[in-house]
Amino acid sequence: MPKATETLLEINLNALDNNYQYITSKLKKETKVLAVVKAYGYGSDSVAVARELVDLGIDYFAVAYTGEGETLRNASIETPILVLHPLPVNFDAIVDRCLEPSIYSRKMLEEFITYTEKKQQNNYPIHLKFNTGLNRLGFDESDISFIAETLSKTKSVKVKSAFSHLAASEDLKLKEFTLGQIKAFRKISEELSAKIGYKPLLHCANTSGIINYPEAHFDMVRTGIGLYGFGNDPEVNKHLKPISTLKTVISQIHTIQKDESVGYNRGFIAEKTTLSATLPIGHADGIPRSYGKGKGWVTINGKKAHILGNVCMDMIMVDVTEINCEEGDEAIVFGPAAMADELAAAINSISYELITAISQRVKRVVCRK
Ligand SMILES: *Cc1c(COP(=O)(O)O)cnc(C)c1O
């Protein structure tokens, strides 16, 4: 790629290939892989990422919301798509676009069956979500008899998979809790299969679950953050490559004299002559205001340039006093050489939050390198 001349999010498909190969190297050959491409592919470009994963042989996709699944269907992605958090208002779009709902409550199960019967569906694929400790979405173990009885009265739906979600797979201090979740899921799935009379696909591991809990791989794994290049662990990160680089450019450089200030509300006051570079990226692009006053930085010509004063909606100003640079030079917010998880940690955040927050105003450029 030539140097950036405006704010860009560069998405490197070769890095995605690398991450897919690393994650699948942790699996048995027969284990299926579901790629989580919610939230625009964790802030990248869900269509470009999904197309590449189709070429790599992905088995399944998951999105959080129905509209995200529609986006993939509009791009002619034909792979099965699990919608993790559908709502009854989405049933039309789900069935219309062959999306597969996660069914997480008695009410949802009954309403979806009523809907599919009305639409004369047969064996419409559904995925049963069980709560094993995250306490977010999902049936309880005690719902299994109700589920089995409800399913026995209809031919309109078929359970394609049963799944659960780990609350702390990246945190080995909570290993006992996670092992308890895995055990509970195993018990639930056995009881479910016995009561409904067939074996759906089972899955419960996210990226850190894949790495830390081989016993939790079951029939399929769900990987999100790992595909995008983060493993929630420095050792794992060595094998992964961030797929996205957020770049911008120096619009203007100002010399700030002692006692002059920079930005709104005089957020920075110079104690000595300071060189300030203005960059065309701000909180509306996904740089949180909490990065202001030196907490956040960009990398210019290999050196960290910290944010001066407050983050504006469309701009930040950074300290380039000690950096040899000029207007038009590139600035890297995050990328393989400026890890997003390190920048996220500076405001007690995590890679997930920083990368998914990059707004749609930022142009996406897909490349291979
Ligand atoms: C987002 C999500 C995932 C992906 O988790 P990663 O930690 O990004 O791998 C998997 N399963 C569910 C239910 C999710 O909501």
Side-chain angles (χ1 to χ4, degrees):
M1 284 292 286
K3 295 229 167 210
T5 49
E6 61 181 327
T7 302
L8 293 177
L9 188 73
E10 210 179 272
I11 297 147
N12 177 10
L13 296 179
N14 285 352
L16 178 65
D17 296 5
N18 169 83
N19 301 337
Y20 178 82
Q21 300 306 345
Y22 178 71
I23 291 160
T24 52
S25 78
K26 300 285 161 196
L27 306 175
K28 291 205 207 73
K29 223 175 78 245
E30 63 273 20
T31 308
K32 291 184 191 301
V33 184
L34 174 153
V36 182
V37 293
K38 61 194 178 191
Y40 298 99
Y42 286 44
S44 64
D45 177 333
S46 61
V47 168
V49 164
R51 285 190 174 138
E52 183 70 8
L53 290 166
V54 167
D55 289 346
L56 291 168
I58 200 79
D59 298 293
Y60 245 95
F61 288 115
V63 293
Y65 296 110
T66 305
E68 299 175 320
E70 292 180 271
T71 300
L72 297 181
R73 289 288 183 248
N74 290 343
S76 305
I77 302 283
E78 292 175 358
T79 309
I81 301 171
L82 163 57
V83 179
L84 293 165
H85 197 165
L87 294 160
V89 70
N90 306 127
F91 289 167
D92 273 326
I94 284 182
V95 172
D96 197 41
R97 308 310 300 274
C98 291
L99 303 171
E100 304 181 4
S102 159
I103 302 290
Y104 48 80
S105 69
R106 293 182 180 213
K107 175 172 180 286
M108 275 287 278
L109 180 64
E110 290 179 325
E111 289 183 19
F112 194 66
I113 288 173
T114 304
Y115 182 83
T116 46
E117 283 178 345
K118 196 176 89 200
K119 296 280 167 183
Q120 298 178 323
Q121 296 292 320
N122 210 353
N123 287 337
Y124 196 90
I126 62 169
H127 301 260
L128 298 178
K129 172 80 181 282
F130 285 91
N131 175 26
T132 54
L134 184 60
N135 290 321
R136 193 170 70 174
L137 282 182
F139 287 105
D140 189 73
E141 186 182 352
S142 61
D143 292 319
I144 294 175
S145 296
F146 171 86
I147 294 169
E149 203 180 302
T150 308
L151 291 173
S152 71
K153 293 184 214 141
T154 185
K155 290 197 157 38
S156 70
V157 300
K158 172 133 193 181
V159 183
K160 184 103 166 261
S161 87
F163 72 110
S164 190
H165 194 35
L166 301 175
S169 58
E170 75 284 9
D171 186 349
L172 293 175
K173 290 197 293 298
L174 294 173
K175 186 161 187 177
E176 230 172 293
F177 179 84
T178 304
L179 291 173
Q181 279 199 281
I182 296 165
K183 195 171 157 204
F185 178 59
R186 182 167 286 121
K187 181 158 177 272
I188 285 168
S189 52
E190 281 165 9
E191 191 182 333
L192 178 76
S193 300
K195 291 210 166 125
I196 64 175
Y198 55 93
K199 264 185 69 107
L201 285 175
L202 304 178
H203 48 109
C204 80
N206 64 341
T207 300
S208 292
I210 294 169
I211 306 287
N212 295 330
Y213 297 94
E215 66 271 44
H217 290 183
F218 293 96
D219 302 311
M220 183 158 80
V221 296
R222 303 188 303 271
T223 177
I225 198 78
L227 289 174
Y228 305 99
F230 300 91
N232 300 325
D233 179 281
E235 275 309 304
V236 180
N237 283 346
K238 282 185 193 157
H239 302 277
L240 299 171
K241 294 185 184 152
I243 74 163
S244 297
T245 304
L246 180 58
K247 296 177 163 183
T248 184
V249 61
I250 298 176
S251 306
Q252 193 178 18
I253 295 177
H254 290 272
T255 303
I256 313 298
Q257 303 299 342
K258 182 174 183 298
D259 297 329
E260 287 185 336
S261 59
V262 175
Y264 286 127
N265 305 100
R266 308 198 73 193
F268 170 78
I269 298 191
E271 287 171 6
K272 59 177 172 61
T273 306
T274 301
L275 286 180
S276 167
T278 303
L279 311 176
I281 187 167
H283 64 71
D285 302 290
I287 307 299
R289 202 164 180 280
S290 46
Y291 276 124
K293 304 192 177 175
K295 288 249 176 67
W297 64 85
V298 301
T299 304
I300 297 174
N301 296 329
K303 289 193 171 159
K304 278 187 183 176
H306 285 265
I307 296 177
L308 293 171
N310 292 310
V311 172
C312 312
M313 186 185 298
D314 313 304
M315 283 170 259
I316 51 176
M317 284 71 87
V318 299
D319 186 350
V320 294
T321 311
E322 305 296 332
I323 302 176
N324 188 1
C325 62
E326 54 187 69
E327 292 169 3
D329 279 2
E330 187 175 86
I332 309 287
V333 182
F334 59 71
M339 289 292 283
D341 46 1
E342 189 195 336
L343 185 58
I347 55 165
N348 293 322
S349 182
I350 53 175
S351 58
Y352 295 78
E353 185 177 38
L354 181 59
I355 65 175
T356 59
I358 303 312
S359 81
Q360 291 301 301
R361 181 165 81 174
V362 176
K363 195 194 230 178
R364 270 66 173 165
V365 180
V366 177
C367 67
R368 287 181 190 278
K369 58 178 183 185

